């Protein structure tokens, strides 16, 4: 499998990210059901920033797309935020979407670990040290909670 093929098949979760954010905007009480969801699970910087700002504003009380847009000037426009807020939100599928997002994140992390393994193959330090480096990264990946 070539690198291009690998990246083409790497799980993309942008639609799933939109569904999660839409649900959080529409049903703010759903923040209580996504405690293990982390900003780094989001693939794009602007959606990661949006999630962080939504968590911040939710911790202070109700929020809307206008207050989000004000805080995210230069990151997301009111039009983009309105599009997300108007998408279909579903509490029924919320946990499944979180599971898809975390799975896609873990797949991206696994790809990074495979790159580390490739790099370590050419190093000259003892093999056990190299294996230990990989095992540390794999353990971090295994320690992350699964959803769905």
């Amino acid at each position: 499998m070539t690198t291009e093929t690998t990246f083409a098949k790497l799980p993309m979760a942008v639609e799933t990210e939109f569904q999660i954010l839409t649900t959080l905007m529409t049903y703010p009480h759903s923040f209580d059901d996504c405690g293990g969801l982390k900003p780094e699970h989001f693939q794009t910087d602007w959606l990661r920033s949006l999630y962080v700002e939504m968590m911040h504003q939710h911790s202070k009380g109700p929020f809307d797309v206008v207050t989000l847009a004000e805080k995210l000037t230069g990151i997301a426009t009111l039009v983009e935020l309105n599009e997300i807020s108007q998408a279909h939100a579903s509490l029924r599928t919320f946990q499944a979407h979180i599971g898809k997002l975390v799975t896609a994140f873990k797949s991206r992390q696994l790809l990074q670990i495979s790159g580390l393994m490739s790099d370590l193959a050419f190093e000259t330090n003892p093999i056990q040290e190299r294996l230990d480096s990989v095992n540390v990264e794999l353990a971090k990946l295994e320690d992350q909670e699964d959803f769905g």
Side-chain angles (χ1 to χ4, degrees), residues 35-133:
L37 185 61
K38 300 175 184 170
E40 58 265 22
H41 291 148
F42 289 84
Q43 185 170 345
T44 61
D45 288 339
W46 81 276
L47 292 178
R48 192 175 305 122
S49 297
L50 174 55
Y51 177 66
V52 169
E53 184 58 35
M54 287 172 60
M55 286 190 314
H56 175 73
Q57 288 192 25
H58 174 71
S59 71
K60 293 182 174 189
F63 64 89
D64 58 37
V65 293
V66 175
T67 57
L68 286 171
E70 289 171 357
K71 292 292 185 176
L72 295 169
T73 300
I75 297 172
T77 66
L78 183 57
V79 171
E80 291 169 326
L81 296 174
N82 193 47
E83 284 178 19
I84 293 173
S85 72
Q86 298 301 316
H88 177 71
S90 172
L91 288 174
R92 187 175 52 85
T93 60
F94 185 60
Q95 288 297 317
H97 285 301
I98 291 174
K100 287 179 189 177
L101 183 63
V102 172
T103 297
F105 169 76
K106 286 183 171 185
S107 294
R108 292 189 307 271
Q109 294 298 106
L110 191 58
L111 182 62
Q112 287 182 345
I113 293 169
S114 71
L116 171 65
M117 290 173 62
S118 179
D119 292 344
L120 290 173
F122 295 99
E123 291 189 7
T124 58
N125 54 329
I127 190 71
Q128 191 57 52
E129 287 179 21
R130 293 182 271 166
L131 290 172
D132 289 345
S133 296

